Amino acid sequence: MKTSSSSTSIMDMFEKGKVLKICAPMVRYSKLAFRSLVRKYNCDICFTPMIVAADFMRSVKARDSEFTTNERDRPLIVQFAAHDAQTLADAACVVAPFSDGVDLNCGCPQRWAMSAGYGACLINKPELVKDMVRHVRNQVDNPNYTASIKIRIHKDLKRTVDLCQKAESAGVSWITVHGRTAEERHQPVHYDAIKTIKDSVSVPVIANGDIKYLRDVESTHQLTGVDGVMAARGLLANPAMFAGYEDTPLECIWDWVDISIEQGTPFTCFHHHLIYMLERVSSQPERRVFNSLSSTSAVIDYLQNTYGSVHDLRT
């Protein structure tokens, strides 16, 4: 793993007047191989899956399994779950040579995370969030390294605005807003809330929630004025979404096969990603057969027989 010699800041990307397209942190899914894939299809910035900072600092084994990257895996944001400032800053210092910034997860609504003091419960602790951002800014010895937060909203939006303004005063680089409360799952995204937050701070704001097609990027920008959008499930279903494809193109599927073989992606992960990618382009009987496959060679044979090979694409 090479350290970065870059003197440029990820923040420069926000100054080009375009809407940045970002791959969300996804447990099990936004790992190096998938990041390598979406980068081929117009994704501007990628996040790692959420990593529990205390476990990461406690164990070399955890560090080696949770965080893998290479020199082409940039710009890269490492997302941590943490509930004390020094642990977060220590973890940031470890990953700083290999990444462009760290992000504090203040949005995960899962019960285990909330009960451990991580994730969305932090939106109710603005002083702690402020302290954690400040510690990272003060202790990472690189002025271009970013410290961002990813939040959900409160029912009382004034509390969310207060949180964001406190984070801004501590030096937060940007804020990603998932436009739902911690209790909401599949309800409509509150675009008006994201716009209010965007209008209340001077740092860049990223919108997250229900980005399924490239046209959603532009419509979200129009509704909220944000500086970027972040997609999760939309990219799982179609890793080429940001390049304007309505459904996963065959070339992207074969790119995933090549990347997975090259990087030694475990079969379960390799297969799960393809299940997501093929969901919108295959029939139910086809899905039933594909989902039951149990080896990489069986998957490759199936893809060739059902959809054709890369060679077919280029002739």
Side-chain angles (χ1 to χ4, degrees):
M1 194 156 53
K2 292 184 179 177
T3 59
S4 168
S5 56
S6 171
S7 61
T8 58
S9 170
I10 204 168
M11 299 308 293
D12 295 337
M13 298 175 71
F14 287 104
E15 293 169 18
K16 294 175 182 174
K18 67 171 185 172
V19 185
L20 293 182
K21 298 183 276 293
I22 301 171
C23 177
M26 292 178 277
V27 175
R28 293 186 301 279
Y29 291 121
S30 54
K31 295 194 170 181
L32 175 60
F34 188 68
R35 298 195 302 265
S36 303
L37 179 66
V38 295
R39 289 186 193 283
K40 292 175 72 94
Y41 292 92
N42 290 8
C43 185
D44 296 311
I45 300 170
C46 289
F47 276 55
T48 68
M50 181 184 77
I51 300 168
V52 177
D55 296 344
F56 186 77
M57 292 309 298
R58 196 178 298 127
S59 157
V60 173
K61 186 177 177 185
R63 290 200 284 280
D64 290 344
S65 67
E66 293 284 334
F67 181 62
T68 53
T69 185
N70 60 32
E71 63 271 18
R72 299 182 303 282
D73 185 31
R74 308 300 284 272
L76 179 65
I77 304 298
V78 183
Q79 192 189 63
F80 285 112
H83 50 51
D84 80 277
Q86 193 53 55
T87 303
L88 178 63
D90 289 345
C93 289
V94 170
V95 299
F98 315 103
S99 58
D100 299 280
V102 293
D103 185 82
L104 174 63
N105 185 315
C106 305
C108 179
Q110 292 184 36
R111 196 172 288 118
W112 75 266
M114 304 260 288
S115 63
Y118 301 132
C121 71
L122 290 174
I123 65 173
N124 300 317
K125 300 176 181 177
E127 292 298 334
L128 177 57
V129 171
K130 185 176 172 180
D131 195 35
M132 289 199 272
V133 169
R134 186 175 286 134
H135 266 65
V136 172
R137 300 294 292 187
N138 289 343
Q139 293 180 37
V140 173
D141 187 24
N142 176 355
N144 291 321
Y145 199 71
T146 63
S148 56
I149 60 174
K150 183 174 187 290
I151 66 169
R152 283 185 174 239
I153 59 173
H154 299 84
K155 282 181 183 160
D156 177 3
L157 200 57
K158 291 193 197 73
R159 296 178 65 196
T160 319
V161 168
D162 176 65
L163 167 71
C164 293
Q165 290 175 339
K166 282 189 164 73
E168 181 176 23
S169 73
V172 81
S173 304
W174 79 79
I175 299 166
T176 301
V177 183
H178 184 114
R180 295 184 175 98
T181 67
E183 295 73 39
E184 292 175 325
R185 290 296 180 272
H186 304 295
Q187 290 88 335
V189 171
H190 300 283
Y191 294 105
D192 54 337
I194 298 174
K195 183 179 190 308
T196 298
I197 293 163
K198 170 62 186 165
D199 292 342
S200 303
V201 294
S202 58
V203 295
V205 172
I206 307 298
N208 176 222
D210 285 1
I211 306 293
K212 292 176 181 157
Y213 299 95
L214 185 61
R215 58 182 176 270
D216 298 332
V217 173
E218 184 52 37
S219 62
T220 300
H221 174 64
Q222 293 291 336
L223 286 167
T224 62
V226 289
D227 305 276
V229 296
M230 176 184 283
R233 286 192 299 261
L235 279 178
L236 283 181
N238 177 10
M241 174 183 74
F242 285 147
Y245 292 92
E246 289 286 297
D247 296 307
T248 310
L250 185 56
E251 187 172 1
C252 179
I253 289 167
W254 285 113
D255 281 340
W256 173 243
V257 172
D258 291 344
I259 289 167
S260 297
I261 290 170
E262 180 196 333
Q263 296 191 11
T265 301
F267 175 75
T268 303
C269 179
F270 166 68
H271 191 212
H272 276 181
H273 273 292
L274 285 168
I275 288 170
Y276 278 115
M277 289 181 212
L278 294 170
E279 193 170 4
R280 294 206 299 238
V281 297
S282 57
S283 66
Q284 197 167 5
E286 285 173 339
R287 286 200 296 274
R288 199 173 295 121
V289 171
F290 184 80
N291 296 359
S292 69
L293 299 175
S294 57
S295 72
T296 300
S297 58
V299 166
I300 290 171
D301 287 345
Y302 176 92
L303 292 173
Q304 285 178 331
N305 293 334
T306 310
Y307 300 106
S309 66
V310 179
H311 177 73
D312 298 333
L313 280 172
R314 289 166 189 161
T315 55

